[in-house]
Amino acid sequence: MKLKIHAPALPNIPWQPRPKGNTDLLWRYSKNPVVGRRPLPHVTGIYNSAVVPWKKGFIGVFRTEGMSRVPHLHVGRSPDGLKFTFEPKPIVLTNADPEVTRFEYAYDPRVTLIDGVYYVTWCNGYHGPTIGIAKTTDFVNFEQVENAFLPYNRNGVLFPRKVNGKYLMLSRPSDTGHTPFGDIFTSESPDLVHWGKHRHVLGKGWPWFQGTKIGAGPSPIETSEGWLLIYHAVTGTCNGFVYSISAMLLDLDQPWKVIASANQALLCPEAEYELSGFVPGVCFPVGALCDAATGRLALYYGAADTFTALCFGNVEDIVRFVKENPLQK
Ligand code: BMA
């Protein structure tokens, strides 16, 4: 397979080659976590956060939590995608209608570049969780637009271009709590305000690694074989949920159609920082950098709801693995 990736080259992508003897599709950055405890004096952890290329370096929207445990969104910057500095104050979201900017909580942000505008989508508290959307071109001014859906919904992730002339978003209808169920759907919109034509993509189920629920991770990566969607897959254990990372391939023109979905996780919690934190046993992928010239992938994931960690992979290898090792339908 000679895969074509429809994205810019990113020669300064953070990168480490696969360690000798490692046969996994994703391998961890040796100096993980990239964001450790107390990244800001009043913040106990930054995790489940999205990083994108910006000028000669990187920028992102980050989930912070302090002693109140109420999550907020902050801007963070990095020259190399490995060391980050964070704005001490949360992002100020503006809209003429105060009902739109009414704040309860904000978490798990994704950042998607579409036609020169950066869109942030996140789990936004509005009488329960739903999907907030804001746009920015400078990461200083953020205009919030209408919530995409009625509550309850989480893991709203935009595609990086319009599909069939419409914006397209993945999401997972949920409940007000920790949601013991969850399938991924797509919805389309002409204007990022009105959403409809909801289509089922993939449900939880067999095998056990995704027996409880699944949710979209970073914005899908467009390849000649289909959209590569990296997602979190959740299993239920006698001690609670365990979040792993897996991948599926979606049809380019009808992305609610699954071409193939991997029959196993690509990364399961096992490192110390994934097992000891506020919520042990969580690897939650949220931001991806990809160098189309080499196929290198740098994947940012929240570890144990406390840290931001980084792992690496190769897009072509992952696409091949998914195609060769699909779920039995
Ligand atoms: C989910 C979300 C994520 C979190 C995960 C594990 O429901 O709240 O933000 O990382 O649970 O606790």
Side-chain angles (χ1 to χ4, degrees), residues 34 70 112 119 135 137 149 189 220 231 277 293 305 310 316 329:
V34 287
V70 177
T112 310
Y119 294 91
K135 50 187 177 179
T137 51
F149 307 121
S189 170
Y231 67 96
D305 285 6
L310 180 59
E316 183 162 0
K329 289 214 166 180

Side-chain angles (χ1 to χ4, degrees), residues 10-298:
L10 190 62
N12 60 336
I13 189 171
W15 182 250
Q16 269 182 346
R18 183 199 298 273
K20 236 178 152 214
N22 183 313
T23 56
D24 295 339
L25 271 294
L26 295 172
W27 56 94
R28 294 167 177 82
Y29 176 45
S30 63
K31 293 191 182 148
N32 266 346
V34 287
V35 185
R37 286 185 194 274
R38 288 296 172 131
L40 289 166
H42 58 290
V43 167
T44 53
I46 290 184
Y47 60 96
N48 298 7
S49 300
V51 177
V52 290
W54 178 252
K55 299 187 175 162
K56 289 187 174 152
F58 302 91
I59 201 162
V61 177
F62 292 80
R63 169 182 177 158
T64 69
E65 259 167 43
M67 301 281 190
S68 75
R69 306 307 311 172
V70 177
H72 290 84
L73 305 180
H74 289 225
V75 169
R77 295 181 176 77
S78 172
D80 55 7
L82 300 171
K83 286 182 219 72
F84 288 89
T85 52
F86 301 102
E87 292 290 338
K89 295 231 167 88
I91 290 171
V92 177
L93 297 161
T94 58
N95 186 288
D97 182 349
E99 192 66 7
V100 172
T101 50
R102 178 182 171 281
F103 181 83
E104 282 181 26
Y105 50 80
Y107 65 78
D108 296 359
R110 275 73 166 186
V111 180
T112 310
L113 176 63
I114 310 174
D115 297 335
V117 178
Y118 293 87
Y119 294 91
V120 187
T121 53
W122 70 95
C123 180
N124 189 37
Y126 184 79
H127 306 277
T130 182
I131 307 303
I133 308 177
K135 50 187 177 179
T136 184
T137 51
D138 58 9
F139 286 86
V140 177
N141 302 292
F142 288 84
E143 185 196 339
Q144 189 169 354
V145 296
E146 296 286 338
N147 288 315
F149 307 121
L150 287 169
Y152 313 113
N153 204 313
R154 291 182 170 97
N155 299 300
V157 179
L158 285 165
F159 282 72
R161 66 166 170 85
K162 290 182 180 172
V163 178
N164 305 317
K166 302 277 166 49
Y167 295 100
L168 203 68
M169 178 138 59
L170 298 151
S171 74
R172 192 194 59 213
S174 64
D175 65 8
T176 50
H178 297 294
T179 321
F181 61 88
D183 295 357
I184 298 177
F185 290 78
T186 56
S187 307
E188 65 171 52
S189 170
D191 55 7
L192 288 167
V193 174
H194 305 91
W195 293 90
K197 278 189 108 172
H198 313 293
R199 295 284 183 275
H200 187 260
V201 177
L202 189 70
K204 63 158 191 183
W206 183 258
W208 282 0
F209 78 101
Q210 54 189 5
T212 300
K213 54 181 172 176
I214 58 174
S219 302
I221 296 167
E222 186 173 4
T223 79
S224 48
E225 295 286 318
W227 295 99
L228 176 63
L229 175 65
I230 291 167
Y231 67 96
H232 65 261
V234 184
T235 189
T237 73
C238 59
N239 256 342
F241 295 155
V242 174
Y243 284 66
S244 299
I245 301 177
S246 194
M248 66 177 91
L249 208 54
L250 305 176
D251 184 85
L252 282 177
D253 300 320
Q254 296 179 299
W256 48 92
K257 292 192 175 158
V258 179
I259 296 168
S261 191
N263 63 7
Q264 63 164 76
L266 308 187
L267 191 97
C268 289
E270 64 179 64
E272 185 269 337
Y273 49 85
E274 296 159 356
L275 300 174
S276 68
F278 201 70
V279 184
V282 177
C283 294
F284 197 92
V286 169
L289 302 172
C290 174
D291 175 23
T294 57
R296 289 175 177 179
L297 175 77

